[in-house]
Amino acid sequence: MKKLKRTALMLITGIIAISLGAGAMAQNYDIKVQIDGILHNSGGVIDFGEYKPLQIDSRTYVHTRTFAENAGMKVGWDQDNQTAFIKVIADKNSDKPIEVYAAEQFDALGDNGFGTPSSITVSMMIDNSEAVFRYNYDIGEGHIRGLGKTFEMDGAATLIDDSALMVPLRNLMEILGLNVEWSQEQMTAYVSIPYEVKVQDNLEETDRWVPERYYAGFTPPNYIPDGVHEIGEYLGTFKLTKYCPCNICNGGWGNNTAWAGKIIPGQTIGVNLKDGIPKLAWLYIDGIGWRRAEDTGGGIGYHHIDVAVSSHYEATHGNIVYRDVWLAK
Ligand SMILES: [Zn+2]
């Protein structure tokens, strides 16, 4: 897990849902996805290998790469943006029905003078429920002009095992203009190309092809301290400085905190109560992790947190940084 969209709450509930879902899935369900007439004229049940479809909140999620490759779509990963993208080439003369269908979508849009129809892309970012859809037109010299829109999916694209991006199947199919029918009896999703070409409306010219991040650079927690259940209110961006339990850092206070016992490097932070942070509250600091408001000090101003570290060297080296901070519930 690397990034997060709305609040960490979403992320944490997501993780729980998936771990429960995956556990339950192995025992109770065997969700199948059958694609008919998409890659070839015949169909077939996709072999998802180790990343089986999951049901989360009664929605079917599929492994993006396995689905896309089985459906004759290109798939890529944009590391910087933590975004998976699916590309369908538009080619009237292709032997892949999906590529012919993409060309038919461009035809249905009509001649808008944009350029030569090239491909359809859908981009989905980890822990983000926004999908960016684009019709891409080739305008020569390797340049693309995009006509697109964003979709809010029913759930966020979700990473499992640090490598497999799972996306809501129904949303993805609707975005691509494909049909999807669910059979509860068969526990199977049937995906096909509709008889009538479906094109997206309300399109706008756009350069943008990846979702926007809600909080740039957020790194979600990899553990939750005892007694903390969820990340709560976003407190804003704070200036972070460091101190250690030594006399130089603490003056007459020695290594005692204001409200707890001794300073615990890796746990203790000094805060300003005027920031609305309750005494002994747990906070989540982006890039730092969970810390507890056990201390305060005259030198700590508004939106400033002093982070306890173990050595005086560490306390006095490195830069002052600014990070997003959340209060734990
Ligand atoms: Zn020190």
Side-chain angles (χ1 to χ4, degrees), residues 186-219:
Q186 310 288 331
M187 291 302 282
T188 300
Y190 296 91
V191 174
S192 60
I193 293 171
Y195 288 114
E196 204 164 305
V197 178
K198 288 184 190 169
V199 286
Q200 303 299 348
D201 54 7
N202 299 315
L203 299 163
E204 286 180 5
E205 182 167 9
T206 177
D207 289 335
R208 192 175 145 221
W209 76 283
V210 297
E212 279 179 278
R213 205 180 288 295
Y214 196 79
Y215 294 122
F218 183 88
T219 312

Side-chain angles (χ1 to χ4, degrees), residues 9 19 22 32 36 61 117 171 180 184 192 203 216 229 245 282 301 311 315:
L9 171 59
S19 52
K32 294 186 180 70
D36 292 318
Y61 280 62
N171 291 134
V180 57
Q184 186 65 29
S192 60
L203 299 163
H229 301 293
W282 283 96
S311 75

Side-chain angles (χ1 to χ4, degrees), residues 223 225-226 228 243-245 250 253-273 277-285 290-298 300 304-309 327:
Y223 81 103
D226 288 348
V228 173
Y243 72 116
C244 88
N250 295 284
W253 288 93
N255 63 355
N256 288 309
T257 62
W259 310 310
K262 305 282 182 210
I263 292 168
I264 304 173
Q267 171 172 310
T268 303
I269 51 174
V271 302
N272 186 336
L273 294 178
I277 299 168
K279 287 177 187 175
L280 303 177
W282 283 96
L283 304 183
Y284 185 74
I285 306 172
W290 293 101
R291 293 292 186 276
R292 192 166 177 236
E294 298 175 342
D295 210 354
T296 190
I300 302 174
H304 175 186
I305 290 174
D306 211 10
V307 180
V309 295
L327 193 59

Side-chain angles (χ1 to χ4, degrees), residues 244 246 249 312:
C244 88
C246 83
C249 287
H312 190 68

